[in-house]
Amino acid sequence: MNWFLELNPVVQALLATLFTWGFTALGAALVFFFKKININVLNGMLGFAAGVMIAASFWSLLAPAIEMSDGSFVPALIGFLAGGVFLLLVDKLLPHLHLGEPRQKAEGIKTSLQRSILLVFAVTLHNIPEGLAVGVAFGATAAGLPSASLAGAIALAIGIGIQNFPEGAAVSIPLRREGLSRRKSFMYGQASGIVEPIAGVLGAALVLVMRPILPYALAFAAGAMIYVVVEELIPEAQQESHTDVATIGAMLGFAVMMTLDVALG
């Protein structure tokens, strides 16, 4: 573990987001064992992912941002809203299709891309703020502030990795059900997480170069994640009649992330 502690924060962010991407691939690999997934299981997975992201947004991002600003809420407020606006723009521009929706309900710029690609792009939207959050958290450790500890950044990476597992399965298994081969379904599923290392490295490098923006960057990642939760995950998880399954999943996800952050951070 000592070797990891001695690495540059950008390299730490890269390794951490490769770890979270790996969990996406592990989840996508379930397609080699299952062709279908029970809708309640899928909704529970999506709810779990939402709970993790909500908890991470506060415990790992917003709370440290406010502490770094000597208790002022202004930098956190500005960064939080900016993160939401950024994801709003990405949501309007990036062609994507939510799980269970017909091809004609694709959002973003109109395109002739295949349905499978549009589904992957939808999950890629989730992963942009996740990778950014992990990257900014590791970059923040260089500031030497108690609220931005390496243990807290590692806890965030573990939490994001855990919730990436069901996300990978939520892409690959529906694609398999639609007729794609197991190999193609897996490749598309894991590809949805490839943006995380990219966003992670950019986030860590940015806060290292421009340290005064650190509280804004942490809150920005939080705002982006909350936007994804409210716009994408919760509506998808609540489509069926048994909404309590998704709600329980969200509670469990929140509890897991809160426990990780408090215990390790």
Side-chain angles (χ1 to χ4, degrees):
M1 188 63 180
N2 289 335
W3 64 270
F4 185 81
L5 302 178
E6 297 171 358
L7 295 175
N8 181 279
V10 175
V11 179
Q12 291 175 338
L14 173 62
L15 294 177
T17 46
L18 286 173
F19 166 81
T20 60
W21 179 21
F23 265 79
T24 303
L26 282 176
L30 290 180
V31 75
F32 292 110
F33 306 97
F34 304 100
K35 186 174 181 178
K36 295 181 179 180
I37 184 170
N38 182 279
I39 190 63
N40 286 328
V41 173
L42 177 59
N43 289 344
M45 288 178 171
L46 293 173
F48 182 89
V52 168
M53 292 176 72
I54 293 171
S57 295
F58 176 75
W59 295 99
S60 301
L61 299 171
L62 282 176
I66 294 172
E67 186 176 339
M68 289 174 190
S69 305
D70 297 322
S72 172
F73 68 89
V74 176
L77 176 63
I78 294 172
F80 183 81
L81 294 178
V85 171
F86 171 74
L87 255 292
L88 173 63
L89 294 175
V90 174
D91 188 56
K92 296 298 183 183
L93 294 174
L94 181 69
H96 62 284
L97 179 66
H98 301 303
L99 290 171
E101 295 285 355
R103 174 66 176 76
Q104 58 267 29
K105 285 196 174 183
E107 299 179 12
I109 296 174
K110 299 301 179 183
T111 178
S112 59
L113 288 172
Q114 296 178 357
R115 173 183 169 85
S116 56
I117 300 296
L118 294 174
L119 286 170
V120 172
F121 281 174
V123 179
T124 300
L125 273 175
H126 304 177
N127 292 328
I128 293 174
E130 292 170 12
L132 183 64
V134 174
V136 170
F138 276 96
T141 61
L145 299 171
S147 57
S149 67
L150 182 60
I154 292 173
L156 177 61
I158 293 173
I160 295 297
I162 291 173
Q163 66 96 35
N164 274 355
F165 182 84
E167 280 194 354
V171 177
S172 64
I173 294 177
L175 289 178
R176 173 61 178 161
R177 190 174 61 244
E178 292 188 6
L180 272 70
S181 68
R182 294 183 189 275
R183 181 176 175 277
K184 273 193 173 183
S185 298
F186 167 74
M187 293 303 295
Y188 283 140
Q190 63 83 30
S192 65
I194 198 172
V195 71
E196 288 196 9
I198 299 171
V201 168
L202 287 175
L206 186 62
V207 297
L208 284 177
V209 174
M210 303 173 65
R211 190 170 296 183
I213 71 165
L214 183 52
Y216 299 91
L218 287 166
F220 181 94
M225 288 214 292
I226 291 298
Y227 182 93
V228 166
V229 169
V230 178
E231 169 70 13
E232 310 278 348
L233 291 178
I234 291 178
E236 289 177 13
Q238 298 281 341
Q239 288 183 12
E240 299 298 318
S241 57
H242 299 292
T243 56
D244 55 330
V245 174
T247 303
I248 293 170
M251 296 290 290
L252 291 174
F254 189 98
V256 167
M257 187 64 237
M258 180 179 65
T259 302
L260 282 172
D261 193 88
V262 174
L264 298 181

